[in-house]
Amino acid sequence: CVADFSYDGIIEDGTGRNAITVCVCTYGEFPLQVKLAFPYTPAKGHRPFRILTPACLSANLEYKDMVALGGAVGRGIQSVKWAFGKTWNQLKE
């Protein structure tokens, strides 16, 4: 069983940056709890929308498993084409 949700708000790391926060939890014999933040700077005036470096806010994983998850997340987000026609790599700072 998996529960996941995301919300747009302020990153919970004390920086005050805008971020999409994603929470993923699984239940069962090996429960997983991961909270990731995808910070960004919104477009304003002549400044374009920019994606900043993602951050893991919390996780109940060992380091090697977090590295594997990070790689999978990276491949997944790089495959998305945003509504305004650019890719993750074109928008990241």
Side-chain angles (χ1 to χ4, degrees), residues 38-62:
F38 297 88
Y40 64 91
T41 56
K44 185 174 184 181
H46 294 290
R47 183 186 70 201
F49 173 84
R50 299 300 294 169
I51 298 170
L52 306 174
T53 303
C56 178
L57 301 178
S58 64
N60 66 340
L61 296 172
E62 293 183 26

Side-chain angles (χ1 to χ4, degrees), residues 1-3 25-28 31-32:
C1 181
V2 176
C25 300
T26 64
Y27 302 92
L32 171 70

Side-chain angles (χ1 to χ4, degrees), residues 32 34 36 56 59 61-78:
L32 171 70
V34 178
L36 303 172
C56 178
L61 296 172
E62 293 183 26
Y63 179 77
K64 66 178 181 61
D65 296 326
M66 195 63 215
V67 169
L69 177 64
V73 168
R75 287 186 301 279
I77 59 180
Q78 290 173 22

Side-chain angles (χ1 to χ4, degrees), residues 15-28:
T15 62
R17 291 178 293 176
N18 294 70
I20 302 294
T21 300
V22 177
C23 301
V24 178
C25 300
T26 64
Y27 302 92

